[in-house]
Amino acid sequence: MLATAIIVFREVLEASLIIGIVMAASRGVPRRGVWVAGGIAGGIAGAVAVAAAAGTIAAALEGIGQEIFDATVLFAAVAMLGWHNIWMSRHGRDLAVAADRLGGEVRSGSRPLWALAIAVGLATLREGSEAVLFLYGIAAAGDGSGGAMALGGILGLFAGGLCGVALYLGLVRIPLHRLFVVTSWLILLLAAGMASQGAAFLLQADLLPPLGINLWDTSSVLTENSVLGKVLHTLVGYTAQPAGIQLVFYVATVLLIGGLMYTLGGTVPTPRRASRPIGARPAQQPGE
């Protein structure tokens, strides 16, 4: 549930930020709400289609090399999580600035209203599709029942949407750079845990060497079936009796994705501080 809530919260928050910036920058444009709502609906419909396609593929391959299929889903989710963190650390500011510019152009009349629908639709589709793949990875890892994942998804959706609305209305002053840093590193640890679980599946299929069975045994101190053990397993990939290959995949994932986040991004994905508030009209120059 926790992993689902974290991922859904992050994806919904990012989509909400883009939508909020577009709405603020296009304030005063007639019928902008209708076009934005239409874009959101289209993006959600696209994400649902992605979920349906993923479910069909999973059903078709069920029972045929199940360990290999589960490992493939997990590694695909790890790749997407890594790409997501790296790309957002590098381009997150530009997304916010582009959304602000688009809203201003629509308000000035230089861009048509349907551009708003396309912008928010693509943002919703992108974040929704990523969430679908990530949740399939969590399900493949067996980190929660369907009910728990549904509850986590609802909590993440509500919290992310509420934060987005509150930011748009100016009701809260959340230090976004800190929020994105925390969620980025949480997602990195989730990805490492998924990579470790994927290695375990391939080990079960005799496709990887164990590199040592049960490197340590902390089940006497903290079992994976305990409440705290389940929380740590979900958040950081805790395993009481890991094989050596699991540790290799875990550490390699943290070093690779974390290193690329630092090297290629170097900064956290927060909107650039502008010289004027988002959505505000630029000051007129003398003689205009």
Side-chain angles (χ1 to χ4, degrees):
M1 183 181 75
L2 286 174
T4 303
I6 291 171
I7 288 175
V8 172
F9 170 77
R10 173 66 180 256
E11 299 299 328
V12 172
L13 178 60
E14 289 179 5
S16 297
L17 287 175
I18 298 302
I19 294 168
I21 291 171
V22 168
M23 290 286 287
S26 61
R27 187 181 290 113
V29 176
R31 298 179 59 82
R32 55 126 189 197
V34 175
W35 284 95
V36 169
I40 295 173
I44 293 174
V48 170
V50 171
T56 301
I57 294 172
L61 296 177
E62 186 174 4
I64 303 176
Q66 191 64 45
E67 291 87 359
I68 298 176
F69 174 71
D70 289 344
T72 301
V73 171
L74 283 168
F75 289 135
V78 169
M80 286 292 292
L81 286 168
W83 173 86
H84 173 83
N85 269 3
I86 295 166
W87 194 91
M88 282 301 297
S89 68
R90 189 174 181 84
H91 300 287
R93 288 183 174 87
D94 296 335
L95 276 178
V97 173
D100 186 27
R101 184 183 301 115
L102 172 64
E105 290 174 351
V106 169
R107 188 178 58 203
S108 67
S110 60
R111 292 287 291 274
L113 267 171
W114 52 259
L116 295 179
I118 292 178
V120 299
L122 289 176
T124 305
L125 175 61
R126 181 182 64 248
E127 307 303 340
S129 299
E130 289 178 355
V132 166
L133 180 58
F134 302 158
L135 297 183
Y136 263 90
I138 294 173
D143 287 341
S145 63
M149 288 182 64
L151 178 58
I154 292 172
L155 291 175
L157 178 64
F158 177 77
L162 184 62
C163 283
V165 172
L167 286 168
Y168 168 71
L169 296 177
L171 299 178
V172 293
R173 296 292 182 181
I174 299 177
L176 288 179
H177 67 286
R178 294 179 183 175
L179 180 63
F180 277 110
V181 165
V182 171
T183 55
S184 291
W185 284 102
L186 282 175
I187 288 175
L188 171 59
L189 294 178
L190 286 173
M194 287 183 180
S196 174
Q197 188 62 43
F201 280 127
L202 294 181
L203 179 60
Q204 293 173 17
D206 293 327
L207 294 177
L208 287 177
L211 299 183
I213 301 296
N214 298 343
L215 293 183
W216 59 76
D217 186 355
T218 56
S219 55
S220 60
V221 178
L222 181 63
T223 66
E224 293 181 38
N225 294 326
S226 65
V227 174
L228 180 58
K230 289 180 178 178
V231 170
L232 292 178
H233 177 72
T234 298
L235 292 180
V236 298
Y238 170 75
T239 302
Q241 298 173 313
I245 192 66
Q246 289 182 265
L247 181 61
V248 169
F249 271 70
Y250 189 97
V251 173
T253 300
V254 171
L255 292 178
L256 178 61
I257 297 178
L260 289 175
M261 286 170 58
Y262 179 80
T263 303
L264 299 181
T267 52
V268 294
T270 57
R272 181 181 292 127
R273 294 184 180 275
S275 57
R276 58 186 178 89
I278 292 175
R281 296 177 183 273
Q284 287 188 336
Q285 300 297 322
E288 292 184 345

